[in-house]
Amino acid sequence: MNLNLTKPICFFDLETTGVNITTDRIVEIAILKVHPNGKEESKTWLVNPEMVIPKEVIAIHGISNEDVADKPTFKEVAKDIYNMIKDSDLGGFNSNRFDIPLLAEELLRAEVDFDMKNRVAVDVQTIFHKMEQRTLSAAYKFYCNEELEGAHGAEADTRATFEVLKAQIAKYDEIENDTKFLAEFSSRKQFADFAGFIVYNKKGEECFSFGKHKGKLVTEVLETEPGYFGWLLNADFPLYTKKVLTAIKLRSFNNKLG
């Protein structure tokens, strides 16, 4: 079957130096771009993370420090990656919680302005967990009746994610073949940023989800405690979170002028 697409969707998977969105780096990225007419294009990059890949991480994905020593840095390939995804929605396995936030950090560090304003994200893991509660290898076996060869390799995982999503749509009548529906169904919570430090309340207003101002409106906190904004920008928060905070502050300032 073909996905019912109104724009391209890029399924992607990252292999990294670890799981900290702020401090870890990408060592491999594979992208499978699926167009509305069914055409597919794929690209995989090995990346020099400019830091040591821990032994315990190498044991998982099999990419050694020697494998990436002579590869380009992320900054050197960032524009090529962005050009491939810039017109597309995004899809992945656990992508809303990890791959998209980390990719956003890497792009912003490379001075490529990335956001999710005109795109949606489909997280195949969330759909799977809501329906079956398993892992990617089990999902591939369950939905596609095949063993996942090369698990934890970005290219194999990316292809498997795409195949699993198509099988999920075919299997469940309640899952619509529509990217926006899939994005809403696969979202766990409405975050204004990727990391979940800023969430939307029932009225669609941004609120802090942590610390002493948990549950309070971001606009009200920035108004009554302006020094908090400076602290947030200088603290160890993801770059995308800081970008969202800055946008909220500017919007509030412009509303006052209006």
Side-chain angles (χ1 to χ4, degrees), residues 5-190:
L5 304 174
T6 57
K7 64 191 295 188
I9 183 170
C10 283
F11 294 91
F12 77 103
D13 185 70
L14 306 178
E15 303 303 335
T16 66
T17 60
V19 296
N20 187 304
I21 292 170
T22 305
T23 61
D24 279 306
R25 300 292 186 266
I26 294 170
V27 298
E28 185 181 33
I29 176 171
I31 300 175
L32 172 63
K33 186 171 187 176
V34 184
H35 294 266
N37 63 4
K39 176 187 173 183
E40 299 176 11
E41 53 182 305
S42 63
K43 176 74 174 176
T44 301
W45 292 265
L46 276 172
V47 179
N48 184 334
E50 301 181 275
M51 64 182 292
V52 174
I53 307 172
K55 291 180 180 180
E56 59 270 23
V57 177
I58 295 173
I60 295 173
H61 56 50
I63 301 171
S64 68
N65 291 287
E66 292 74 23
D67 291 333
V68 295
D70 62 346
K71 300 303 179 183
T73 64
F74 188 87
K75 189 169 185 176
E76 291 173 317
V77 299
K79 288 185 179 179
D80 291 335
I81 291 170
Y82 180 72
N83 285 337
M84 191 167 183
I85 69 173
K86 64 182 180 181
D87 63 342
S88 305
D89 293 324
L90 298 177
F93 198 85
N94 194 33
S95 49
N96 285 356
R97 295 168 65 89
F98 181 71
D99 297 84
I100 292 176
L102 184 53
L103 178 61
E105 289 299 291
E106 289 277 39
L107 287 170
L108 290 172
R109 274 191 291 266
E111 299 179 348
V112 175
D113 190 19
F114 172 82
D115 61 46
M116 294 291 292
K117 285 181 180 178
N118 298 312
R119 71 181 90 228
V120 296
V122 178
D123 193 329
V124 175
Q125 185 194 62
T126 304
I127 297 174
F128 183 42
H129 285 180
K130 282 185 175 182
M131 306 305 290
E132 303 295 344
Q133 303 291 314
R134 302 284 172 80
T135 62
L136 177 58
S137 294
Y140 193 58
K141 176 67 175 177
F142 181 87
Y143 290 109
C144 304
N145 198 29
E146 294 185 35
E147 298 294 335
L148 177 52
E149 302 292 337
H152 295 300
E155 188 171 352
D157 286 357
T158 299
R159 171 62 62 176
T161 298
F162 174 48
E163 296 298 335
V164 166
L165 177 60
K166 292 193 292 181
Q168 287 173 329
I169 295 169
K171 182 177 178 63
Y172 303 113
D173 292 338
E174 60 267 44
I175 295 183
E176 298 176 18
N177 190 350
D178 176 81
T179 308
K180 288 185 178 180
F181 172 87
L182 294 168
E184 291 175 3
F185 189 83
S186 63
S187 65
R188 294 176 182 270
K189 195 173 183 179
Q190 291 297 315

